[in-house]
Amino acid sequence: MNSAEQYMENAENVLLHTYNRYQIVLEKGEGVYLYDINGKKYLDFAAGIAVQSLGYGHKAYNEALKGQIDLLCHTSNLFYNKPAAEAAQKLAKAAQMDRVFFTNSGTEAIEGAVKAARKYAYIKDGSTDHEIIAMQHSFHGRSMGALSVTGNVKYQEPFKPLIGGIRFAAFNDFDSVTAQITDKTCAILMETVQGEGGIYPAEKEFLKKIKAICEEKDILLILDEIQCGMGRCGSMFAWQDYGVKPDIMTCAKALGCGVPVGAFVMTQKVADQSLMPGDHGTTYGGNPLVCAAVSKVFDIYEQEHIPENVRTVGAYLEQRLGELVQSSSFVLERRGKGMMQGLALAEEKPAGDVVKQCLEAGLIVITAGGNVLRFVPPLVIKKEHVDEMMDILGECLK
Ligand SMILES: *Cc1c(COP(=O)(O)O)cnc(C)c1O
């Protein structure tokens, strides 16, 4: 038998060192708990970075996947398959939008959204120098295209030159966005709630004004709902709570609740005048296995009233975290919506150290940009789990 130390050493000997991993080898999950190979139990308030909305070992979800494995895992997109059509119907309905393209990740959903926006503008005027406005402190992924719209100099610098025609504006600062608009602007792209950048929700006024100027100038609004979507903020998609509908939306993370799948979704108006046969493709994207998962995820969300649980238990989480701002001198601010919450910590208390202490004490939380503790638990947590988390966190923040 291998010890945890041996597993970690073996991994470090062969995996490319792009992560400084926590010294834990996870083995199995049950409900909202994870277990490492030594049998130590962790309350999970990270959900594999906002992916495992249904927690672990959900029976109906697992059965659906097992059933599909025995039927068919992959076909290529040269043919139709049943789960893809079902999953697309359910996603389009939940998103109140019309056309779906399945990808293998969030990053690829961003790539597709950017291509759709450029093609839309190209069809309009035939020119090839269109611009996209993205936000500072945003995160959209690590491929060259997604990195190009990610407002983080540290991530971008070593990989330049990136794709051209990208301008950055300050999130929640409407004048800063309008200052970047030119006759070349084809899209404005942002997360409805910034995740990696430190948990910053868009302000309602800001988003409404952006939508208005997009409509006025026929600029496409692309909302990245990869982290904040799929019920995490209390509505199926966070923008639904703002009453601001995007032209294109990206989705991933909790879309498959554990299998790698993303999507970009658009209105019929954009679909009619953007990507056509031959413009875009993927071998794996939307294969029967992942789509069986997506399809089942939507069923379970409905049957188990997931967004409702986020609204009630999320409000409680928000209240309890808010109390820490009062009671702990290390906690400066609480930000977020529903079950996407952040605590900004004082400089003398690095969030990374708190995370390590929490892990030691059997609680999984993660960080976000700017010394922030991030809470993105499975959306099935109950009040008692919030209490359990708060007990551990309170101790670790002393
Ligand atoms: C995680 C994330 C991405 C990238 O998704 P991957 O599946 O890691 O490629 C893009 N945008 C946001 C907002 C994210 O949180």
Side-chain angles (χ1 to χ4, degrees):
M1 279 302 278
N2 267 334
S3 69
E5 284 69 29
Q6 279 170 315
Y7 278 118
M8 290 188 281
E9 195 187 316
N10 291 347
E12 286 304 336
N13 280 337
V14 65
L15 290 174
L16 189 65
H17 193 116
T18 52
Y19 284 95
N20 291 316
R21 293 177 161 84
Y22 299 113
Q23 296 300 295
I24 293 170
V25 185
L26 291 171
E27 187 169 59
K28 65 168 184 174
E30 222 178 272
V32 297
Y33 295 93
L34 282 164
Y35 297 82
D36 70 17
I37 60 167
N38 298 319
K40 181 171 169 179
K41 185 179 180 181
Y42 301 85
L43 174 62
D44 182 17
F45 263 64
I49 318 185
V51 168
Q52 300 285 346
S53 283
L54 302 175
Y56 304 91
H58 190 289
K59 244 198 149 61
Y61 173 88
N62 286 5
E63 289 305 321
L65 270 177
K66 287 175 194 170
Q68 189 61 44
I69 286 173
D70 288 336
L71 269 181
L72 186 64
C73 284
H74 181 78
T75 58
S76 89
N77 282 304
L78 303 177
F79 303 93
Y80 295 94
N81 73 75
K82 252 166 74 179
E86 283 169 12
Q89 267 171 359
K90 291 173 191 177
L91 173 53
K93 183 165 173 244
Q96 303 163 266
M97 294 169 91
D98 306 299
R99 297 278 165 179
V100 175
F101 185 103
F102 285 114
T103 65
N104 309 294
S105 66
T107 299
E108 287 163 275
I110 294 290
E111 295 287 334
V114 165
K115 279 180 72 174
R118 281 192 170 176
K119 181 78 193 289
Y120 179 87
Y122 173 79
I123 287 178
K124 260 196 311 189
D125 67 9
S127 67
T128 54
D129 53 355
H130 295 108
E131 298 171 352
I132 293 172
I133 301 173
M135 301 297 134
Q136 288 156 11
H137 308 294
S138 61
F139 182 83
H140 299 293
R142 306 293 200 136
S143 64
M144 293 307 278
L147 186 58
S148 301
V149 291
T150 287
N152 184 324
V153 179
K154 196 181 79 194
Y155 289 170
Q156 288 189 337
E157 180 72 18
F159 305 105
K160 288 184 171 179
L162 300 170
I163 69 167
I166 311 295
R167 291 165 170 263
F168 285 95
F171 191 54
N172 281 333
D173 180 344
F174 182 66
D175 293 339
S176 144
V177 178
T178 51
Q180 297 300 326
I181 294 178
T182 72
D183 357 335
K184 302 288 181 196
T185 309
C186 68
I188 298 177
L189 161 66
M190 69 183 78
E191 297 152 83
T192 318
V193 180
Q194 287 192 336
E196 306 297 316
I199 315 292
Y200 289 96
E203 283 159 18
K204 199 165 196 164
E205 264 320 283
F206 173 71
L207 210 50
K208 283 195 179 294
K209 284 182 179 167
I210 294 283
K211 174 71 181 175
I213 201 152
C214 282
E215 276 185 346
E216 184 194 319
K217 296 182 181 291
D218 198 19
I219 293 169
L220 298 180
L221 175 60
I222 307 174
L223 290 180
D224 181 345
E225 290 262 342
I226 290 168
Q227 188 161 160
C228 62
M230 290 304 288
R232 180 147 301 276
C233 293
S235 307
M236 212 41 212
F237 294 101
W239 61 261
Q240 289 165 334
D241 200 35
Y242 290 79
V244 172
K245 185 175 170 176
D247 301 287
I248 306 175
M249 175 187 86
T250 58
C251 187
K253 290 199 165 88
L255 179 61
C257 283
V259 297
V261 58
F264 59 101
V265 189
M266 59 181 77
T267 60
Q268 192 63 43
K269 178 187 102 171
V270 181
D272 284 340
Q273 302 169 70
S274 62
L275 301 177
M276 304 295 165
D279 279 336
H280 199 54
T282 164
T283 299
Y284 282 134
N287 86 12
L289 181 65
V290 298
C291 284
V294 173
S295 186
K296 192 46 117 180
V297 165
F298 280 108
D299 293 349
I300 296 170
Y301 265 57
E302 203 169 300
Q303 284 152 12
E304 299 187 4
H305 311 289
I306 300 292
E308 289 83 342
N309 190 60
V310 173
R311 289 198 287 275
T312 53
V313 181
Y316 183 63
L317 172 64
E318 192 169 308
Q319 177 208 320
R320 293 295 318 266
L321 290 173
E323 286 164 14
L324 273 179
V325 182
Q326 309 301 319
S327 65
S328 168
S329 54
F330 296 123
V331 182
L332 305 179
E333 192 185 30
R334 181 209 59 80
R335 295 191 290 264
K337 281 169 86 70
M339 290 194 193
M340 183 170 177
Q341 296 286 334
L343 286 182
L345 302 187
E347 242 175 80
E348 66 265 29
K349 198 79 174 167
D353 293 352
V354 179
V355 166
K356 281 181 190 154
Q357 270 177 282
C358 288
L359 290 174
E360 192 65 33
L363 168 67
I364 300 184
V365 288
I366 52 178
T367 60
N371 209 28
V372 170
L373 277 181
R374 174 167 31 163
F375 304 84
V376 284
L379 305 184
V380 294
I381 57 162
K382 302 284 167 226
K383 279 186 170 179
E384 69 215 50
H385 300 120
V386 175
D387 290 333
E388 188 184 343
M389 182 278 288
M390 289 300 298
D391 287 347
I392 300 175
L393 182 66
E395 280 301 310
C396 294
L397 277 172
K398 272 188 181 150

